[in-house]
Amino acid sequence: MQLGWFPIGGYGTFAHLVLPAITLGIMGSGWYSRMMRSSMVEVLRQDYIRTARAKGLTRGRILLRHALPNAILPIIAMIGIDIGIFMGGIVVVESVFGWPGIGQLAWQAIQRVDIPVIMGVTMVSATAIVLGNLLADLVTPLIDPRIKLR
């Protein structure tokens, strides 16, 4: 705020998007980084990683080509599930940064007890959650070809 790099409120330009995006990103970053670390530690203990090291592959190649795709699968599933939590965070972020959006609409409808608007926001949010889970399920086979869509 003191440096004046990004506007604190309002919307319309890319600069207005940075702080709200960072705020929503920080919300899950600790959890995801901790889970990614534990998943990576578990994957690095597997036999195929030991085999890749024995073949003489570089550390970077082992991490990026062999370990990361297998370690990131649980994280993708968690992101699909956590979309509902992010939708709840949108209400706060829109209020703090002065964005007119679905979060503000929901908050105003709750204060006025506007049942049709509350139902509409709930349906849109539920649809976003279902589509997020579907997207996570569709991305998983692209990362790991052993998982097949039937």
Side-chain angles (χ1 to χ4, degrees):
M1 184 175 122
Q2 297 292 331
L3 296 174
W5 291 348
F6 302 109
I8 295 177
Y11 61 97
T13 64
F14 179 75
H16 289 95
L17 180 67
V18 173
L19 291 178
I22 288 173
T23 303
L24 283 174
I26 286 174
M27 190 167 74
S29 65
W31 172 254
Y32 294 132
S33 62
R34 187 172 42 180
M35 292 305 293
M36 185 65 191
R37 182 192 179 280
S38 67
S39 182
M40 188 66 93
V41 166
E42 183 180 327
V43 166
L44 288 175
R45 292 181 183 156
Q46 299 295 319
D47 289 338
Y48 64 90
I49 299 295
R50 197 172 315 125
T51 303
R53 284 187 187 132
K55 286 181 180 179
L57 294 177
T58 64
R59 181 178 171 95
R61 177 107 172 141
I62 291 171
L63 287 175
L64 292 176
R65 183 78 174 130
H66 298 285
L68 185 64
N70 292 311
I72 204 164
L73 292 175
I75 308 304
I76 292 172
M78 285 190 326
I79 289 172
I81 293 169
D82 287 346
I83 287 178
I85 295 170
F86 291 125
M87 292 294 287
I90 287 173
V91 175
V92 176
V93 169
E94 287 179 358
S95 296
V96 169
F97 292 103
W99 280 49
I102 194 165
Q104 283 281 8
L105 179 65
W107 181 246
Q108 291 169 0
I110 290 168
Q111 288 177 333
R112 290 183 306 219
V113 191
D114 191 355
I115 302 299
V117 174
I118 294 171
M119 289 172 53
V121 167
T122 303
M123 290 299 294
V124 169
S125 299
T127 303
I129 291 168
V130 169
L131 289 176
N133 283 313
L134 177 65
L135 185 64
D137 287 343
L138 292 176
V139 166
T140 301
L142 297 175
I143 294 173
D144 189 359
R146 295 176 297 175
I147 300 172
K148 304 263 187 221
L149 293 175
R150 294 182 190 207

